[in-house]
Amino acid sequence: MAERLVGKQAPDFTMETATGDGKEFGKASLSDYKGKWLVLFFYPLDFTFVCPTEITALSHAASQFKELDTEILGVSIDSIHTHKAWINTPINDNGLGKLEFPLAADITKSVARDYGVLIEEEGIALRGLFIIDPEGELKYEVVNHNDVGRSVEETLRVLQALQSGGLCPMNWKPGDKNLVVK
């Protein structure tokens, strides 16, 4: 049975990264995001078909996340060299182009395993998205089949709901009131 992650401290990680400009390599650790919100998302493989639609959509919305004091980190089991090549491949050739956040390499698959998204028999991750608060608590997770992309708008909505500090009813949107319990 899978272990619950929401409401607990997010599993720690350190991974090598390819920068969003496709020019450099670096490292990312959970501790690098202390004091900020983090959207950590896993995708199956570089140079696939659904993945670039999600990654570029998140990159286009990066300024909206930054306004909410939130960083984004993408993760797959591919190497930093593959990430760099994909970033440097033109969009019309199934590439990503410049991104506003890094892509991390989970070559050992340990981070995908720790977050419960690794498909062991295939050696790739499911589409998992996690929102981690500034204290490192995992507040939200959504995992879906690899055939279906995620929603940037829903991720922003949930992030804003979490940041509202109150109880948010079904279909809550920014500007809506939180529930008042008497």
Side-chain angles (χ1 to χ4, degrees), residues 65-164:
F65 286 97
K66 284 209 184 299
E67 288 173 12
L68 297 169
D69 199 30
T70 302
E71 300 291 327
I72 303 170
L73 180 62
V75 183
S76 82
I77 54 89
D78 294 291
S79 75
I80 55 174
H81 304 288
T82 305
H83 290 337
K84 181 179 177 181
W86 200 23
I87 292 165
N88 287 313
T89 300
I91 292 171
N92 42 349
D93 289 334
N94 197 34
L96 295 176
K98 182 181 182 296
L99 299 175
E100 298 300 322
F101 53 83
L103 296 180
D106 183 21
I107 297 279
T108 65
K109 302 171 180 70
S110 62
V111 182
R113 188 174 289 115
D114 288 348
Y115 278 80
V117 296
L118 182 65
I119 305 171
E120 292 281 351
E121 59 276 12
E122 294 180 36
I124 61 172
L126 288 164
R127 293 186 195 288
L129 185 139
F130 302 85
I131 298 177
I132 301 168
D133 79 5
E135 288 76 45
E137 182 181 335
L138 202 148
K139 295 294 215 176
Y140 175 80
E141 80 173 287
V142 62
V143 179
N144 47 292
H145 193 278
N146 284 336
D147 289 350
V148 179
R150 294 159 281 202
S151 168
V152 171
E153 291 80 18
E154 177 63 2
T155 303
L156 282 164
R157 186 194 74 81
V158 170
L159 175 64
Q160 291 168 313
L162 290 167
Q163 290 180 349
S164 77

Side-chain angles (χ1 to χ4, degrees), residues 20-42:
D21 62 8
K23 295 180 182 174
E24 298 179 21
F25 298 119
K27 284 195 183 226
S29 297
L30 182 58
S31 62
D32 297 337
Y33 300 98
K34 188 171 174 66
K36 291 190 175 243
W37 289 81
L38 173 63
V39 170
L40 175 70
F41 73 96
F42 292 82

